[in-house]
mmCIF file with all atom_site columns, all heavy atoms in Angstrom:
data_model
loop_
_atom_site.group_PDB
_atom_site.id
_atom_site.type_symbol
_atom_site.label_atom_id
_atom_site.label_alt_id
_atom_site.label_comp_id
_atom_site.label_asym_id
_atom_site.label_entity_id
_atom_site.label_seq_id
_atom_site.pdbx_PDB_ins_code
_atom_site.Cartn_x
_atom_site.Cartn_y
_atom_site.Cartn_z
_atom_site.occupancy
_atom_site.B_iso_or_equiv
_atom_site.pdbx_formal_charge
_atom_site.auth_seq_id
_atom_site.auth_comp_id
_atom_site.auth_asym_id
_atom_site.auth_atom_id
_atom_site.pdbx_PDB_model_num
ATOM 1   N N   . PHE L 1 1  ? -36.471 -90.677 63.419 1.00 85.00 ? 879 PHE L N   1
ATOM 2   C CA  . PHE L 1 1  ? -37.206 -90.455 64.680 1.00 85.00 ? 879 PHE L CA  1
ATOM 3   C C   . PHE L 1 1  ? -36.615 -89.571 65.738 1.00 85.00 ? 879 PHE L C   1
ATOM 4   O O   . PHE L 1 1  ? -37.128 -89.420 66.776 1.00 85.00 ? 879 PHE L O   1
ATOM 5   C CB  . PHE L 1 1  ? -37.296 -91.884 65.256 1.00 85.00 ? 879 PHE L CB  1
ATOM 6   C CG  . PHE L 1 1  ? -38.038 -92.942 64.468 1.00 85.00 ? 879 PHE L CG  1
ATOM 7   C CD1 . PHE L 1 1  ? -37.403 -93.957 63.814 1.00 85.00 ? 879 PHE L CD1 1
ATOM 8   C CD2 . PHE L 1 1  ? -39.348 -92.818 64.207 1.00 85.00 ? 879 PHE L CD2 1
ATOM 9   C CE1 . PHE L 1 1  ? -37.813 -94.796 62.935 1.00 85.00 ? 879 PHE L CE1 1
ATOM 10  C CE2 . PHE L 1 1  ? -40.038 -93.721 63.337 1.00 85.00 ? 879 PHE L CE2 1
ATOM 11  C CZ  . PHE L 1 1  ? -39.250 -94.821 62.729 1.00 85.00 ? 879 PHE L CZ  1
ATOM 12  N N   . ASN L 1 2  ? -35.407 -88.983 65.307 1.00 88.00 ? 880 ASN L N   1
ATOM 13  C CA  . ASN L 1 2  ? -34.786 -88.190 66.393 1.00 88.00 ? 880 ASN L CA  1
ATOM 14  C C   . ASN L 1 2  ? -34.400 -86.726 65.932 1.00 88.00 ? 880 ASN L C   1
ATOM 15  O O   . ASN L 1 2  ? -33.622 -86.112 66.535 1.00 88.00 ? 880 ASN L O   1
ATOM 16  C CB  . ASN L 1 2  ? -33.463 -88.882 66.920 1.00 88.00 ? 880 ASN L CB  1
ATOM 17  C CG  . ASN L 1 2  ? -33.798 -90.113 67.640 1.00 88.00 ? 880 ASN L CG  1
ATOM 18  O OD1 . ASN L 1 2  ? -34.254 -90.017 68.806 1.00 88.00 ? 880 ASN L OD1 1
ATOM 19  N ND2 . ASN L 1 2  ? -33.434 -91.257 67.111 1.00 88.00 ? 880 ASN L ND2 1
ATOM 20  N N   . GLY L 1 3  ? -35.141 -86.349 64.781 1.00 92.00 ? 881 GLY L N   1
ATOM 21  C CA  . GLY L 1 3  ? -34.940 -84.946 64.543 1.00 92.00 ? 881 GLY L CA  1
ATOM 22  C C   . GLY L 1 3  ? -34.586 -84.599 63.047 1.00 92.00 ? 881 GLY L C   1
ATOM 23  O O   . GLY L 1 3  ? -34.918 -83.454 62.588 1.00 92.00 ? 881 GLY L O   1
ATOM 24  N N   . SER L 1 4  ? -33.850 -85.382 62.342 1.00 94.00 ? 882 SER L N   1
ATOM 25  C CA  . SER L 1 4  ? -33.344 -85.093 61.021 1.00 94.00 ? 882 SER L CA  1
ATOM 26  C C   . SER L 1 4  ? -34.455 -85.180 60.023 1.00 94.00 ? 882 SER L C   1
ATOM 27  O O   . SER L 1 4  ? -35.388 -85.895 60.127 1.00 94.00 ? 882 SER L O   1
ATOM 28  C CB  . SER L 1 4  ? -32.198 -85.959 60.556 1.00 94.00 ? 882 SER L CB  1
ATOM 29  O OG  . SER L 1 4  ? -31.039 -85.678 61.378 1.00 94.00 ? 882 SER L OG  1
ATOM 30  N N   . THR L 1 5  ? -34.333 -84.363 58.953 1.00 95.00 ? 883 THR L N   1
ATOM 31  C CA  . THR L 1 5  ? -35.288 -84.473 57.833 1.00 95.00 ? 883 THR L CA  1
ATOM 32  C C   . THR L 1 5  ? -34.844 -85.590 56.910 1.00 95.00 ? 883 THR L C   1
ATOM 33  O O   . THR L 1 5  ? -33.738 -85.612 56.369 1.00 95.00 ? 883 THR L O   1
ATOM 34  C CB  . THR L 1 5  ? -35.317 -83.161 57.006 1.00 95.00 ? 883 THR L CB  1
ATOM 35  O OG1 . THR L 1 5  ? -35.608 -82.124 57.935 1.00 95.00 ? 883 THR L OG1 1
ATOM 36  C CG2 . THR L 1 5  ? -36.436 -83.171 55.942 1.00 95.00 ? 883 THR L CG2 1
ATOM 37  N N   . VAL L 1 6  ? -35.763 -86.641 56.786 1.00 94.00 ? 884 VAL L N   1
ATOM 38  C CA  . VAL L 1 6  ? -35.389 -87.672 56.024 1.00 94.00 ? 884 VAL L CA  1
ATOM 39  C C   . VAL L 1 6  ? -36.513 -88.040 54.918 1.00 94.00 ? 884 VAL L C   1
ATOM 40  O O   . VAL L 1 6  ? -37.718 -87.797 55.208 1.00 94.00 ? 884 VAL L O   1
ATOM 41  C CB  . VAL L 1 6  ? -35.386 -89.028 56.958 1.00 94.00 ? 884 VAL L CB  1
ATOM 42  C CG1 . VAL L 1 6  ? -35.165 -90.316 56.223 1.00 94.00 ? 884 VAL L CG1 1
ATOM 43  C CG2 . VAL L 1 6  ? -34.154 -88.666 57.966 1.00 94.00 ? 884 VAL L CG2 1
ATOM 44  N N   . LEU L 1 7  ? -36.103 -88.573 53.751 1.00 93.00 ? 885 LEU L N   1
ATOM 45  C CA  . LEU L 1 7  ? -37.035 -88.821 52.672 1.00 93.00 ? 885 LEU L CA  1
ATOM 46  C C   . LEU L 1 7  ? -37.180 -90.337 52.524 1.00 93.00 ? 885 LEU L C   1
ATOM 47  O O   . LEU L 1 7  ? -36.215 -91.091 52.841 1.00 93.00 ? 885 LEU L O   1
ATOM 48  C CB  . LEU L 1 7  ? -36.637 -88.211 51.442 1.00 93.00 ? 885 LEU L CB  1
ATOM 49  C CG  . LEU L 1 7  ? -36.290 -86.673 51.428 1.00 93.00 ? 885 LEU L CG  1
ATOM 50  C CD1 . LEU L 1 7  ? -35.753 -86.294 50.175 1.00 93.00 ? 885 LEU L CD1 1
ATOM 51  C CD2 . LEU L 1 7  ? -37.530 -85.914 51.695 1.00 93.00 ? 885 LEU L CD2 1
ATOM 52  N N   . GLY L 1 8  ? -38.282 -90.889 51.958 1.00 88.00 ? 886 GLY L N   1
ATOM 53  C CA  . GLY L 1 8  ? -38.552 -92.204 51.682 1.00 88.00 ? 886 GLY L CA  1
ATOM 54  C C   . GLY L 1 8  ? -39.346 -92.946 52.628 1.00 88.00 ? 886 GLY L C   1
ATOM 55  O O   . GLY L 1 8  ? -39.660 -92.456 53.662 1.00 88.00 ? 886 GLY L O   1
ATOM 56  N N   . ASN L 1 9  ? -39.725 -94.202 52.250 1.00 85.00 ? 887 ASN L N   1
ATOM 57  C CA  . ASN L 1 9  ? -40.500 -94.984 53.169 1.00 85.00 ? 887 ASN L CA  1
ATOM 58  C C   . ASN L 1 9  ? -39.811 -96.427 53.491 1.00 85.00 ? 887 ASN L C   1
ATOM 59  O O   . ASN L 1 9  ? -40.313 -97.373 53.883 1.00 85.00 ? 887 ASN L O   1
ATOM 60  C CB  . ASN L 1 9  ? -41.816 -95.392 52.594 1.00 85.00 ? 887 ASN L CB  1
ATOM 61  C CG  . ASN L 1 9  ? -42.697 -94.108 52.543 1.00 85.00 ? 887 ASN L CG  1
ATOM 62  O OD1 . ASN L 1 9  ? -42.821 -93.394 53.461 1.00 85.00 ? 887 ASN L OD1 1
ATOM 63  N ND2 . ASN L 1 9  ? -43.261 -93.894 51.257 1.00 85.00 ? 887 ASN L ND2 1
ATOM 64  N N   . GLY L 1 10 ? -38.529 -96.389 53.236 1.00 75.00 ? 888 GLY L N   1
ATOM 65  C CA  . GLY L 1 10 ? -37.648 -97.523 53.462 1.00 75.00 ? 888 GLY L CA  1
ATOM 66  C C   . GLY L 1 10 ? -37.331 -98.226 52.115 1.00 75.00 ? 888 GLY L C   1
ATOM 67  O O   . GLY L 1 10 ? -38.181 -98.678 51.403 1.00 75.00 ? 888 GLY L O   1
ATOM 68  N N   . PRO L 1 11 ? -35.937 -98.069 51.718 1.00 83.00 ? 889 PRO L N   1
ATOM 69  C CA  . PRO L 1 11 ? -34.874 -97.504 52.456 1.00 83.00 ? 889 PRO L CA  1
ATOM 70  C C   . PRO L 1 11 ? -35.042 -95.930 52.524 1.00 83.00 ? 889 PRO L C   1
ATOM 71  O O   . PRO L 1 11 ? -35.638 -95.324 51.557 1.00 83.00 ? 889 PRO L O   1
ATOM 72  C CB  . PRO L 1 11 ? -33.644 -97.837 51.637 1.00 83.00 ? 889 PRO L CB  1
ATOM 73  C CG  . PRO L 1 11 ? -34.103 -98.170 50.300 1.00 83.00 ? 889 PRO L CG  1
ATOM 74  C CD  . PRO L 1 11 ? -35.492 -98.664 50.413 1.00 83.00 ? 889 PRO L CD  1
ATOM 75  N N   . TYR L 1 12 ? -34.439 -95.311 53.499 1.00 90.00 ? 890 TYR L N   1
ATOM 76  C CA  . TYR L 1 12 ? -34.535 -93.907 53.823 1.00 90.00 ? 890 TYR L CA  1
ATOM 77  C C   . TYR L 1 12 ? -33.191 -93.248 53.293 1.00 90.00 ? 890 TYR L C   1
ATOM 78  O O   . TYR L 1 12 ? -32.069 -93.839 53.270 1.00 90.00 ? 890 TYR L O   1
ATOM 79  C CB  . TYR L 1 12 ? -34.809 -93.691 55.176 1.00 90.00 ? 890 TYR L CB  1
ATOM 80  C CG  . TYR L 1 12 ? -36.043 -94.199 55.733 1.00 90.00 ? 890 TYR L CG  1
ATOM 81  C CD1 . TYR L 1 12 ? -36.060 -95.523 56.406 1.00 90.00 ? 890 TYR L CD1 1
ATOM 82  C CD2 . TYR L 1 12 ? -37.247 -93.410 55.673 1.00 90.00 ? 890 TYR L CD2 1
ATOM 83  C CE1 . TYR L 1 12 ? -37.281 -95.985 56.756 1.00 90.00 ? 890 TYR L CE1 1
ATOM 84  C CE2 . TYR L 1 12 ? -38.500 -93.998 56.168 1.00 90.00 ? 890 TYR L CE2 1
ATOM 85  C CZ  . TYR L 1 12 ? -38.455 -95.232 56.786 1.00 90.00 ? 890 TYR L CZ  1
ATOM 86  O OH  . TYR L 1 12 ? -39.669 -95.717 57.233 1.00 90.00 ? 890 TYR L OH  1
ATOM 87  N N   . ILE L 1 13 ? -33.307 -92.095 52.877 1.00 92.00 ? 891 ILE L N   1
ATOM 88  C CA  . ILE L 1 13 ? -32.143 -91.181 52.756 1.00 92.00 ? 891 ILE L CA  1
ATOM 89  C C   . ILE L 1 13 ? -32.309 -89.832 53.313 1.00 92.00 ? 891 ILE L C   1
ATOM 90  O O   . ILE L 1 13 ? -33.430 -89.393 53.604 1.00 92.00 ? 891 ILE L O   1
ATOM 91  C CB  . ILE L 1 13 ? -32.004 -90.884 51.139 1.00 92.00 ? 891 ILE L CB  1
ATOM 92  C CG1 . ILE L 1 13 ? -33.163 -90.234 50.537 1.00 92.00 ? 891 ILE L CG1 1
ATOM 93  C CG2 . ILE L 1 13 ? -31.633 -92.300 50.432 1.00 92.00 ? 891 ILE L CG2 1
ATOM 94  C CD1 . ILE L 1 13 ? -32.891 -89.871 49.135 1.00 92.00 ? 891 ILE L CD1 1
ATOM 95  N N   . PHE L 1 14 ? -31.207 -89.070 53.726 1.00 95.00 ? 892 PHE L N   1
ATOM 96  C CA  . PHE L 1 14 ? -31.319 -87.843 54.239 1.00 95.00 ? 892 PHE L CA  1
ATOM 97  C C   . PHE L 1 14 ? -31.789 -86.759 53.236 1.00 95.00 ? 892 PHE L C   1
ATOM 98  O O   . PHE L 1 14 ? -31.303 -86.799 51.947 1.00 95.00 ? 892 PHE L O   1
ATOM 99  C CB  . PHE L 1 14 ? -29.880 -87.440 54.802 1.00 95.00 ? 892 PHE L CB  1
ATOM 100 C CG  . PHE L 1 14 ? -29.582 -88.083 56.079 1.00 95.00 ? 892 PHE L CG  1
ATOM 101 C CD1 . PHE L 1 14 ? -28.679 -89.218 56.148 1.00 95.00 ? 892 PHE L CD1 1
ATOM 102 C CD2 . PHE L 1 14 ? -30.103 -87.628 57.321 1.00 95.00 ? 892 PHE L CD2 1
ATOM 103 C CE1 . PHE L 1 14 ? -28.393 -89.864 57.420 1.00 95.00 ? 892 PHE L CE1 1
ATOM 104 C CE2 . PHE L 1 14 ? -29.977 -88.264 58.514 1.00 95.00 ? 892 PHE L CE2 1
ATOM 105 C CZ  . PHE L 1 14 ? -29.043 -89.350 58.520 1.00 95.00 ? 892 PHE L CZ  1
ATOM 106 N N   . ALA L 1 15 ? -32.474 -85.843 53.527 1.00 96.00 ? 893 ALA L N   1
ATOM 107 C CA  . ALA L 1 15 ? -32.915 -84.815 52.593 1.00 96.00 ? 893 ALA L CA  1
ATOM 108 C C   . ALA L 1 15 ? -31.907 -83.933 52.311 1.00 96.00 ? 893 ALA L C   1
ATOM 109 O O   . ALA L 1 15 ? -31.827 -83.333 51.181 1.00 96.00 ? 893 ALA L O   1
ATOM 110 C CB  . ALA L 1 15 ? -34.093 -84.004 53.189 1.00 96.00 ? 893 ALA L CB  1
ATOM 111 N N   . TYR L 1 16 ? -30.853 -83.752 53.153 1.00 97.00 ? 894 TYR L N   1
ATOM 112 C CA  . TYR L 1 16 ? -29.713 -82.788 52.793 1.00 97.00 ? 894 TYR L CA  1
ATOM 113 C C   . TYR L 1 16 ? -28.359 -83.558 53.201 1.00 97.00 ? 894 TYR L C   1
ATOM 114 O O   . TYR L 1 16 ? -28.349 -84.516 54.094 1.00 97.00 ? 894 TYR L O   1
ATOM 115 C CB  . TYR L 1 16 ? -29.801 -81.628 53.779 1.00 97.00 ? 894 TYR L CB  1
ATOM 116 C CG  . TYR L 1 16 ? -31.210 -80.856 53.770 1.00 97.00 ? 894 TYR L CG  1
ATOM 117 C CD1 . TYR L 1 16 ? -32.109 -81.144 54.808 1.00 97.00 ? 894 TYR L CD1 1
ATOM 118 C CD2 . TYR L 1 16 ? -31.509 -80.188 52.586 1.00 97.00 ? 894 TYR L CD2 1
ATOM 119 C CE1 . TYR L 1 16 ? -33.373 -80.436 54.700 1.00 97.00 ? 894 TYR L CE1 1
ATOM 120 C CE2 . TYR L 1 16 ? -32.848 -79.732 52.517 1.00 97.00 ? 894 TYR L CE2 1
ATOM 121 C CZ  . TYR L 1 16 ? -33.693 -79.706 53.624 1.00 97.00 ? 894 TYR L CZ  1
ATOM 122 O OH  . TYR L 1 16 ? -34.885 -79.203 53.412 1.00 97.00 ? 894 TYR L OH  1
ATOM 123 N N   . ASP L 1 17 ? -27.366 -83.103 52.507 1.00 96.00 ? 895 ASP L N   1
ATOM 124 C CA  . ASP L 1 17 ? -25.968 -83.632 52.817 1.00 96.00 ? 895 ASP L CA  1
ATOM 125 C C   . ASP L 1 17 ? -25.417 -82.972 54.113 1.00 96.00 ? 895 ASP L C   1
ATOM 126 O O   . ASP L 1 17 ? -26.080 -82.005 54.682 1.00 96.00 ? 895 ASP L O   1
ATOM 127 C CB  . ASP L 1 17 ? -25.159 -83.293 51.694 1.00 96.00 ? 895 ASP L CB  1
ATOM 128 C CG  . ASP L 1 17 ? -25.394 -84.164 50.389 1.00 96.00 ? 895 ASP L CG  1
ATOM 129 O OD1 . ASP L 1 17 ? -25.933 -85.138 50.605 1.00 96.00 ? 895 ASP L OD1 1
ATOM 130 O OD2 . ASP L 1 17 ? -25.083 -83.670 49.282 1.00 96.00 ? 895 ASP L OD2 1
ATOM 131 N N   . TYR L 1 18 ? -24.372 -83.497 54.670 1.00 97.00 ? 896 TYR L N   1
ATOM 132 C CA  . TYR L 1 18 ? -23.793 -82.925 55.837 1.00 97.00 ? 896 TYR L CA  1
ATOM 133 C C   . TYR L 1 18 ? -22.419 -82.601 55.601 1.00 97.00 ? 896 TYR L C   1
ATOM 134 O O   . TYR L 1 18 ? -21.556 -83.499 55.480 1.00 97.00 ? 896 TYR L O   1
ATOM 135 C CB  . TYR L 1 18 ? -23.943 -83.921 57.066 1.00 97.00 ? 896 TYR L CB  1
ATOM 136 C CG  . TYR L 1 18 ? -25.313 -84.127 57.483 1.00 97.00 ? 896 TYR L CG  1
ATOM 137 C CD1 . TYR L 1 18 ? -26.209 -85.083 56.898 1.00 97.00 ? 896 TYR L CD1 1
ATOM 138 C CD2 . TYR L 1 18 ? -25.971 -83.159 58.437 1.00 97.00 ? 896 TYR L CD2 1
ATOM 139 C CE1 . TYR L 1 18 ? -27.340 -85.199 57.381 1.00 97.00 ? 896 TYR L CE1 1
ATOM 140 C CE2 . TYR L 1 18 ? -27.197 -83.347 58.958 1.00 97.00 ? 896 TYR L CE2 1
ATOM 141 C CZ  . TYR L 1 18 ? -27.966 -84.340 58.374 1.00 97.00 ? 896 TYR L CZ  1
ATOM 142 O OH  . TYR L 1 18 ? -29.271 -84.499 58.733 1.00 97.00 ? 896 TYR L OH  1
ATOM 143 N N   . LYS L 1 19 ? -22.127 -81.337 55.539 1.00 98.00 ? 897 LYS L N   1
ATOM 144 C CA  . LYS L 1 19 ? -20.664 -80.768 55.363 1.00 98.00 ? 897 LYS L CA  1
ATOM 145 C C   . LYS L 1 19 ? -20.659 -79.501 55.917 1.00 98.00 ? 897 LYS L C   1
ATOM 146 O O   . LYS L 1 19 ? -21.470 -78.408 55.568 1.00 98.00 ? 897 LYS L O   1
ATOM 147 C CB  . LYS L 1 19 ? -20.325 -80.696 53.849 1.00 98.00 ? 897 LYS L CB  1
ATOM 148 C CG  . LYS L 1 19 ? -18.965 -80.144 53.501 1.00 98.00 ? 897 LYS L CG  1
ATOM 149 C CD  . LYS L 1 19 ? -18.675 -80.213 51.946 1.00 98.00 ? 897 LYS L CD  1
ATOM 150 C CE  . LYS L 1 19 ? -17.318 -79.553 51.734 1.00 98.00 ? 897 LYS L CE  1
ATOM 151 N NZ  . LYS L 1 19 ? -17.054 -79.511 50.231 1.00 98.00 ? 897 LYS L NZ  1
ATOM 152 N N   . GLY L 1 20 ? -19.658 -79.244 56.779 1.00 98.00 ? 898 GLY L N   1
ATOM 153 C CA  . GLY L 1 20 ? -19.574 -77.859 57.431 1.00 98.00 ? 898 GLY L CA  1
ATOM 154 C C   . GLY L 1 20 ? -18.497 -77.738 58.431 1.00 98.00 ? 898 GLY L C   1
ATOM 155 O O   . GLY L 1 20 ? -17.454 -78.488 58.244 1.00 98.00 ? 898 GLY L O   1
ATOM 156 N N   . ALA L 1 21 ? -18.653 -77.071 59.537 1.00 98.00 ? 899 ALA L N   1
ATOM 157 C CA  . ALA L 1 21 ? -17.761 -76.958 60.433 1.00 98.00 ? 899 ALA L CA  1
ATOM 158 C C   . ALA L 1 21 ? -18.273 -76.824 61.924 1.00 98.00 ? 899 ALA L C   1
ATOM 159 O O   . ALA L 1 21 ? -19.455 -76.405 62.004 1.00 98.00 ? 899 ALA L O   1
ATOM 160 C CB  . ALA L 1 21 ? -16.877 -75.674 60.243 1.00 98.00 ? 899 ALA L CB  1
ATOM 161 N N   . GLU L 1 22 ? -17.564 -77.215 62.879 1.00 98.00 ? 900 GLU L N   1
ATOM 162 C CA  . GLU L 1 22 ? -17.915 -77.079 64.348 1.00 98.00 ? 900 GLU L CA  1
ATOM 163 C C   . GLU L 1 22 ? -16.757 -76.357 64.953 1.00 98.00 ? 900 GLU L C   1
ATOM 164 O O   . GLU L 1 22 ? -15.615 -76.745 64.836 1.00 98.00 ? 900 GLU L O   1
ATOM 165 C CB  . GLU L 1 22 ? -18.094 -78.360 64.956 1.00 98.00 ? 900 GLU L CB  1
ATOM 166 C CG  . GLU L 1 22 ? -18.697 -78.166 66.398 1.00 98.00 ? 900 GLU L CG  1
ATOM 167 C CD  . GLU L 1 22 ? -19.134 -79.505 67.023 1.00 98.00 ? 900 GLU L CD  1
ATOM 168 O OE1 . GLU L 1 22 ? -18.264 -80.516 66.896 1.00 98.00 ? 900 GLU L OE1 1
ATOM 169 O OE2 . GLU L 1 22 ? -20.145 -79.693 67.623 1.00 98.00 ? 900 GLU L OE2 1
ATOM 170 N N   . VAL L 1 23 ? -17.057 -75.305 65.715 1.00 98.00 ? 901 VAL L N   1
ATOM 171 C CA  . VAL L 1 23 ? -16.044 -74.522 66.502 1.00 98.00 ? 901 VAL L CA  1
ATOM 172 C C   . VAL L 1 23 ? -16.385 -74.685 67.951 1.00 98.00 ? 901 VAL L C   1
ATOM 173 O O   . VAL L 1 23 ? -17.384 -74.622 68.272 1.00 98.00 ? 901 VAL L O   1
ATOM 174 C CB  . VAL L 1 23 ? -15.805 -73.113 66.076 1.00 98.00 ? 901 VAL L CB  1
ATOM 175 C CG1 . VAL L 1 23 ? -15.343 -73.086 64.606 1.00 98.00 ? 901 VAL L CG1 1
ATOM 176 C CG2 . VAL L 1 23 ? -17.212 -72.401 66.042 1.00 98.00 ? 901 VAL L CG2 1
ATOM 177 N N   . ALA L 1 24 ? -15.369 -74.735 68.806 1.00 98.00 ? 902 ALA L N   1
ATOM 178 C CA  . ALA L 1 24 ? -15.622 -74.696 70.191 1.00 98.00 ? 902 ALA L CA  1
ATOM 179 C C   . ALA L 1 24 ? -14.373 -74.072 71.105 1.00 98.00 ? 902 ALA L C   1
ATOM 180 O O   . ALA L 1 24 ? -13.364 -74.093 70.534 1.00 98.00 ? 902 ALA L O   1
ATOM 181 C CB  . ALA L 1 24 ? -15.799 -76.231 70.676 1.00 98.00 ? 902 ALA L CB  1
#
């Protein structure tokens, strides 16, 4: 409900994995 791409009708799963980097 807040922006991510999600699959399924319950239980839900993320469409993509999350692995990367944040620089600041």
